[in-house]
Amino acid sequence: MRDLFLLNPDVIYLNHGSFGACPQPVFREYQRWQRDLEHEPVEFLGRQAIELMAEARRSLAAYLGCGSNDLVYFPNPTTAINMVARSLDLQPGDEVLATDHEYGAMDRTWRFICGKTGARYVQRSIPVPCESAEQVREQFLSGISGHTRVIFISHITSPTALRFPVEAICRRAREAGILTIVDGAHAPGQLELNLEQIGADLYTGACHKWLCSPKGAAFLHARPEIQDRLEPLVVSWGWEPDEPGPSAFIDQQEWQGTRDLAAFLAVPVAIEFQREHDWRAVRERCRSMMQGLRSRLQAKLGLHPLTSDSQLEAPQMFSMQLPECNPEELQRILLERYRIEAVARRWAGRDLLRVSLQAYNNEDDLNALTAALEELLSPAA
């Protein structure tokens, strides 16, 4: 599988989670769409683009288990959440409830919006190690107050690589009349998704991470009853359209002026690539390697897992607590001395190592990481 990817062969890549990696056949399709655009720009953008984007939405919607008219492409989840956050009619004293495991760009977005509206961004602490999915669910939901208007939560967390029980949280929030927004940046391609069953009012995910599409492809799914509350970040021809389409949500959100649509149009090929290569088996192989690596790191180096509940584990990424160190320096040395790309960072006063495994990884990669960490984390290092 490694030969099918464009990654530098001189680097052991254990950080798929940050920006993903695109297989060569999918990247060729991406470039083909770019060439088609440049070959006849007026034909492509002026006459074909609407139907081409509709076809790309239909393919992604079938993959995600939702209606294609309830789904719109965005360049990344951050942009999608910015549109949503700016659309909400938050008032002074309203609360947006999140965890303290959220992606840093999202924390900044919500603090910015709350600062302008007078609302409060409330980050409920979910201490690690997490005992069970039920404990996480109840600990988080106990943070709901009479002022909670919005719940924002990651499906798979970025710093801690934990899979949160979003289905149960969305169900309880709906009963309480609270809007739910799920950050699923790490979910598509890593989890089998059915967005209708998850039940979030709004769900965003990246295609360029675990689905392995080209960079710049993500989506937002919005339940029909929420869509008229969403104002486009960019007002263009889809606002008051001359020829309205079947969905005002798509009209208003999709067309943002002249831009490169190639990453979106290549998503169906990324989905097909994973079907052809039996990605369910790939995920299972990665899960098995991940469990073995985590056990070795715990036994040999005393690194602490963040959960022992399999329901909270992501299939292809995990974080473990390191002994006290300089994590940024550790990450730098891993790359410069050992040619290993992995994530080491400080989070909530803890030093964490995050490892992401994809189809191109093998046991040799994991043995190299183990050996490097044994050298670097030993008392004499």
Side-chain angles (χ1 to χ4, degrees), residues 339-355:
R339 306 303 289 157
I340 296 173
E341 190 76 77
V343 177
R345 66 175 63 161
R346 179 153 292 177
W347 171 83
R350 300 169 185 261
D351 296 329
L352 299 182
L353 172 75
R354 194 190 77 181
V355 177

Side-chain angles (χ1 to χ4, degrees), residues 57-75:
R57 281 199 317 277
R58 285 192 287 268
S59 175
L60 181 58
Y63 177 80
L64 296 173
C66 65
S68 63
N69 286 335
D70 302 325
L71 187 75
V72 68
Y73 278 105
F74 276 86

Side-chain angles (χ1 to χ4, degrees), residues 71-83:
L71 187 75
V72 68
Y73 278 105
F74 276 86
N76 48 63
T78 300
T79 304
I81 295 300
N82 267 264
M83 181 276 288

Side-chain angles (χ1 to χ4, degrees), residues 325-339:
C325 64
N326 182 329
E328 291 80 11
E329 183 71 2
L330 176 64
Q331 180 170 327
R332 184 188 66 80
I333 294 174
L334 280 173
L335 180 60
E336 293 182 0
R337 186 185 303 175
Y338 300 93
R339 306 303 289 157

